[in-house]
Amino acid sequence: MLYDRAYGSLPFGLAGTEINDKAKNLGIEAGSVLNLEHNCLRLADGDMFARIEYRPYGPGRPVSTAAEGIYFLQNSGGAFLVSQNRSNLSPFSIRDSAEIERDALDDIFALTGLGGIQKIERGLRMANLAELSTGLDGVLGLGRGLTPSFDDFITGMLSTLHFCAREWGNDLKVRTAFCSLVAEKAEKKTNKYSAAYLLAAAAGGRFSAIEDVLTAAGGEDWPHAAARLISIGGSSGADMMAGVVFTARVINTMWA
């Protein structure tokens, strides 16, 4: 997985036997710095590491106002997420988590994480760090996949919180503290790959696939951006989308 330090964009990783073998042979480890030049990555000494196709994310302006964009994400985003049936966490996105009954959740991981999500939602609404902390303890590292589903959900949440603060001027009181809690707990609660995503998102790293969904909210390009996001991995992109819609719903109901 690569993080573009110049643009703040986090591509969703490089895969392939050749790249993996090169990383082992050349001693590439977490924290190594590579240089992006045209369509290739170069080592510090100038040797080419791998050819890639990567367009650094250039920040765009949202096509909608804050109120319009948040409303769109909650409603149209929620409907799209449910229609795709790719995330078992979508119930948390479309309704107040306090109203969800345990017997309404078919997925064992969603059921296990229900209490944690309820605490996180209460913590955001009430600016309660204790609730946020115990809520994170209940969901980090939970779920299927190399990046567990709830970690992807939290990644979508963090990206949305940062975007709303930066682009729409809607900065929840607990955003910075919540990010600090995620950064503090990530490496202890989940695997190193998932923790890398969480740490980047907590630090304000801009995931281009998520940013496109937020930027295009309410515009004609949104369906394409949404489809690109949920196509990532088995359910990772869809779980990130669930986190986006969840956050939009919470913010929208706090405005109301």
Side-chain angles (χ1 to χ4, degrees):
M1 183 176 67
L2 298 175
Y3 177 66
D4 189 321
R5 287 167 36 167
Y7 289 85
S9 177
L10 189 68
F12 283 86
L14 294 176
T17 302
E18 180 184 3
I19 290 175
N20 289 338
D21 289 344
K22 282 186 176 181
K24 293 175 183 176
N25 294 338
L26 297 174
I28 303 299
E29 298 178 350
S32 297
V33 177
L34 304 178
N35 297 314
L36 178 64
E37 182 178 312
H38 302 298
N39 289 326
C40 69
L41 288 171
R42 294 190 181 278
L43 302 172
D45 61 9
D47 289 345
M48 187 177 73
F49 172 65
R51 292 191 180 278
I52 62 172
E53 291 186 8
Y54 165 57
R55 175 181 59 84
Y57 181 81
R61 300 297 302 171
V63 301
S64 300
T65 65
E68 293 168 344
I70 290 292
Y71 181 84
F72 179 90
L73 289 168
Q74 177 186 352
N75 292 278
S76 298
F80 175 82
L81 185 63
V82 171
S83 72
Q84 298 303 301
N85 196 31
R86 298 261 319 245
S87 173
N88 290 319
L89 307 185
S90 59
F92 304 133
S93 299
I94 60 177
R95 58 183 302 194
D96 190 321
S97 61
E99 299 175 356
I100 298 176
E101 300 291 339
R102 296 182 65 83
D103 57 8
L105 297 174
D106 298 326
D107 180 73
I108 184 61
F109 293 106
L111 179 61
T112 304
L114 173 59
I117 289 296
Q118 290 173 333
K119 289 178 183 295
I120 288 173
E121 183 161 352
R122 284 199 301 270
L124 291 175
R125 292 181 188 279
M126 301 170 62
N128 188 314
L129 295 185
E131 289 274 55
L132 289 171
S133 182
T134 54
L136 285 171
D137 288 339
V139 299
L140 287 176
L142 180 63
R144 299 177 180 86
L146 182 60
T147 55
S149 52
F150 275 103
D151 292 352
D152 294 325
F153 185 94
I154 297 298
T155 296
M157 280 188 63
L158 295 172
S159 295
T160 307
L161 289 170
H162 286 309
F163 184 93
C164 288
R166 185 182 69 244
E167 301 294 341
W168 284 329
N170 189 281
D171 194 0
L172 295 190
K173 293 180 181 179
V174 292
R175 177 179 63 90
T176 301
F178 183 55
C179 290
S180 296
L181 285 171
V182 173
E184 174 189 326
K185 295 173 182 289
E187 292 181 293
K188 303 172 186 175
K189 293 287 186 178
T190 191
N191 64 66
K192 63 181 181 180
Y193 303 104
S194 195
Y197 279 92
L198 289 166
L199 289 169
R206 301 174 67 168
F207 294 27
S208 54
I210 299 176
E211 289 262 333
D212 287 345
V213 165
L214 294 164
T215 300
E220 61 182 17
D221 291 334
W222 190 85
H224 303 292
R228 283 195 300 271
L229 176 56
I230 70 163
S231 71
I232 294 168
S235 65
S236 287
D239 292 330
M240 290 178 183
M241 174 72 89
V244 170
V245 177
F246 170 86
T247 307
R249 177 180 61 76
V250 171
I251 291 175
N252 195 40
T253 54
M254 289 174 69
W255 278 355

